[in-house]
Amino acid sequence: MEGGPDSVCVLGIDLGTTSVKAALVVGTERGQVVAESCSRETQAYTSSVEAGLQGMEQDSRRIIRALNECLAALPQQQLQRVSHIGISGQMHGIVFWKRDQGCKWTEGGTGPIFEPEEVSHLVTWQDGRCSPAFLSSLPLPQSHISLATGFGCATIYWYLKQSPDFLKSYDAAGTIHDYVVAMLCDLKKPLMSVQNAASWGYFNSRNKSWNTDILKKSGFPVHLLPEVGDPGSIAGRTICAWHGIPKGTKVGIALGDFQCSVYSCLTERTDAVLNISTSAQLTISMPSGFQPPETPDPSSAVTYFPYFDGDYLAVAASLNGGNVLATFVDMVAQWTEELGFQIQESAIYAKIIKAALDQNDSHLSVRPTLFGERHIPDQLASVASIAASELSLGHVTRAVCRGVIENLCSMLPVQRLMETGVRRILGSGSALARNEVLRQEVERILPFPVVYGKDVDAAVGAAMVMFHRK
């Protein structure tokens, strides 16, 4: 155990798309160190009653169950020393609840726990119910971020037009992590950070306010919008000794998982962060004092995310990352099965990576945008320059890996990185960690030294934010 028995502990939590993670961070002479961490798969995906196949929803109860399992697995004596809790989670998504019936507190094995009561499913950032036609029928936001399907405010509009009775059952809304903060601190009105508010749409980051005039004119239920505060500020104090954490522990306002991931590894403004897990992001810090444009440029591939202390990150956020390789593996598995053979997907993954490592070049050109991109939703994937001599598994796998990196660099070009003063790349994310071919292509395409293993971890980032603001 790092840190002395009396050293202060900060708990960081991240409510991710597929798992919940908790990390206990302690202060030592060498700075902050992760003393313990734990993660649990949420297995929360569920069908959408209203949106059918277009919907992407998760069962809020299962997410909170995974959170409780995670905390129950951490050492009790360390939880009892927690002074602050930092919470981050998947941005854009929305969950609805009844203010006075959001949860019920019960006695768990490790102390009081809360369980959701009158709470809706979480409609996640991956939700596809808002078609381009539907989005273009909505009022134009006064925001620097273009509205997209899966954004909280777009989802509220969808319910307003398609299923208005649904909204009548609830009087509060937030991201799933805003919900957790509201329950822990018994907030009468949910509180949301600028980071999460910007990710919902219809929020002006310059004056830190919702576009209430625009929204009211179109009958939008503005009473559902949370209050907004600065990232890094305190939302409240715990009302119970949650899992043995002292009652009255300070809880930070919920943060964006993206910003917390970056915070966990970005130490120099001259670093760029390349993260490839399910999706992929290339991120740089904007100079101090930078303000995003007043209105979005829908064709721009770069989005500006509010960071901390009024700063912004410039992000090329691609919807195509490790999920492209997973789909490729899935396709190979399906073909194999159709030919009458059975082979585990994990075995296929290992074999295609090995084949690509043996094939160090490929003239095949793969545009990997299987899942479209927010700035060009209609552009799907394609393969060009197909020669008979380049059809081996190795050629195709290498071309797919290269395509993923080239696609990101078409969104935030190398030239722009140089102009911003980038000196090195911090590589992170599960897809990059387990795929050497992807790493080779990063080094081939980006003319900067690349440092791996700077582990990007939103739970650790959320804890560090609270540490630095104690």
Side-chain angles (χ1 to χ4, degrees):
M1 155 69 197
E2 293 275 5
D6 305 320
S7 57
V8 174
C9 224
V10 172
L11 173 65
I13 292 168
D14 178 51
L15 304 172
T17 309
T18 56
S19 63
V20 168
K21 180 161 187 193
L24 282 164
V25 174
V26 293
T28 69
E29 291 77 43
R30 302 194 310 283
Q32 287 91 46
V33 176
V34 178
E36 298 282 347
S37 70
C38 170
S39 85
R40 289 284 183 274
E41 298 283 312
T42 54
Q43 296 169 333
Y45 281 109
T46 183
S47 56
S48 166
V49 178
E50 294 90 5
L53 293 174
Q54 259 27 75
M56 192 63 101
E57 297 183 11
Q58 292 186 349
D59 183 336
S60 309
R61 282 174 181 72
R62 286 194 208 155
I63 298 173
I64 302 305
R65 186 191 307 154
L67 172 61
N68 283 324
E69 285 171 7
C70 227
L71 291 179
L74 292 173
Q76 272 280 281
Q77 71 277 16
Q78 276 170 267
L79 288 174
Q80 288 161 9
R81 299 210 323 270
V82 167
S83 68
H84 290 69
I85 302 173
I87 302 182
S88 78
Q90 41 179 318
M91 292 153 71
H92 310 297
I94 184 168
V95 63
F96 301 87
W97 67 92
K98 269 196 182 152
R99 275 185 209 179
D100 48 355
Q101 295 167 274
C103 73
K104 70 168 187 292
W105 284 87
T106 58
E107 202 53 45
T110 52
I113 61 170
F114 70 87
E115 286 168 352
E117 274 206 298
E118 296 296 319
V119 179
S120 73
H121 283 166
L122 166 67
V123 180
T124 78
W125 59 278
Q126 296 164 310
D127 188 83
R129 71 188 66 194
C130 299
S131 65
F134 178 81
L135 291 169
S136 62
S137 75
L138 301 178
L140 214 57
Q142 191 195 359
S143 163
H144 73 279
I145 294 176
S146 293
L147 198 62
T149 185
F151 282 26
C153 284
T155 304
I156 293 178
Y157 265 124
W158 188 90
Y159 279 117
L160 187 63
K161 314 237 164 152
Q162 307 291 334
S163 188
D165 285 349
F166 171 89
L167 292 176
K168 291 184 183 135
S169 314
Y170 304 104
D171 57 5
T175 62
I176 186 70
H177 33 311
D178 294 320
Y179 165 75
V180 169
V181 170
M183 296 308 108
L184 287 178
C185 305
D186 193 24
L187 300 180
K188 290 301 162 227
K189 183 146 171 91
L191 185 58
M192 186 182 236
S193 68
V194 169
Q195 295 173 351
N196 288 324
S199 83
W200 263 24
Y202 292 97
F203 182 80
N204 184 324
S205 298
R206 286 182 172 215
N207 61 23
K208 299 182 189 175
S209 64
W210 298 107
N211 300 166
T212 35
D213 292 351
I214 296 170
L215 294 167
K216 274 181 183 161
K217 278 185 192 143
S218 58
F220 185 96
V222 290
H223 67 277
L224 289 173
L225 295 173
E227 309 260 323
V228 179
D230 285 326
S233 61
I234 301 295
R237 290 172 177 267
T238 55
I239 55 159
C240 287
W242 187 45
H243 286 279
I245 296 164
K247 180 182 171 181
T249 296
K250 288 180 178 171
V251 182
I253 193 167
L255 305 165
D257 55 353
F258 177 70
Q259 287 88 338
C260 287
S261 293
V262 171
Y263 197 89
S264 70
C265 71
L266 190 72
T267 47
E268 304 294 330
R269 274 189 191 265
T270 52
D271 289 342
V273 180
L274 170 66
N275 181 52
I276 308 179
S277 38
T278 307
S279 52
Q281 302 87 24
L282 183 56
T283 307
I284 55 179
S285 296
M286 294 307 289
S288 202
F290 166 85
Q291 282 292 329
E294 284 281 359
T295 52
D297 171 1
S299 64
S300 167
V302 174
T303 311
Y304 299 101
F305 282 95
Y307 195 42
F308 294 96
D309 306 317
D311 285 345
Y312 282 84
L313 299 171
V315 189
S318 169
L319 301 176
N320 301 276
N323 52 1
V324 173
L325 284 144
T327 307
F328 178 56
V329 168
D330 194 40
M331 177 189 83
V332 174
Q334 256 179 318
W335 286 10
T336 315
E337 200 177 318
E338 284 172 33
L339 292 168
F341 303 102
Q342 280 283 322
I343 175 166
Q344 288 280 297
E345 289 204 0
S346 53
I348 294 175
Y349 197 90
K351 283 193 162 70
I352 65 168
I353 298 300
K354 183 174 186 317
L357 288 171
D358 294 341
Q359 187 58 61
N360 75 16
D361 202 9
S362 174
H363 295 102
L364 271 179
S365 169
V366 173
R367 178 188 281 162
T369 47
L370 281 176
F371 304 98
E373 290 294 9
R374 288 199 175 102
H375 61 291
I376 25 173
D378 300 333
Q379 175 185 288
L380 297 177
S382 60
V383 185
S385 307
I386 306 170
S389 59
E390 303 226 347
L391 293 175
S392 74
L393 216 41
H395 281 104
V396 178
T397 304
R398 183 163 288 279
V400 170
C401 291
R402 179 178 308 165
V404 168
I405 308 301
E406 284 178 340
N407 179 53
L408 257 185
C409 291
S410 71
M411 295 169 70
L412 187 53
V414 167
Q415 184 61 33
R416 173 121 188 240
L417 299 185
M418 290 173 149
E419 286 164 5
T420 317
V422 168
R423 296 220 184 97
R424 69 172 180 169
I425 306 287
L426 305 178
S428 65
S430 52
L432 215 48
R434 62 188 283 213
N435 185 335
E436 194 182 334
V437 184
L438 214 45
R439 295 197 295 273
Q440 288 177 350
E441 292 303 327
V442 167
E443 289 158 36
R444 190 194 306 242
I445 291 165
L446 292 166
F448 307 100
V450 185
V451 181
Y452 299 104
K454 281 287 276 194
D455 217 22
V456 186
D457 187 318
V460 172
M464 284 167 65
V465 169
M466 298 318 296
F467 231 106
H468 294 152
R469 283 163 170 68
K470 276 203 317 214

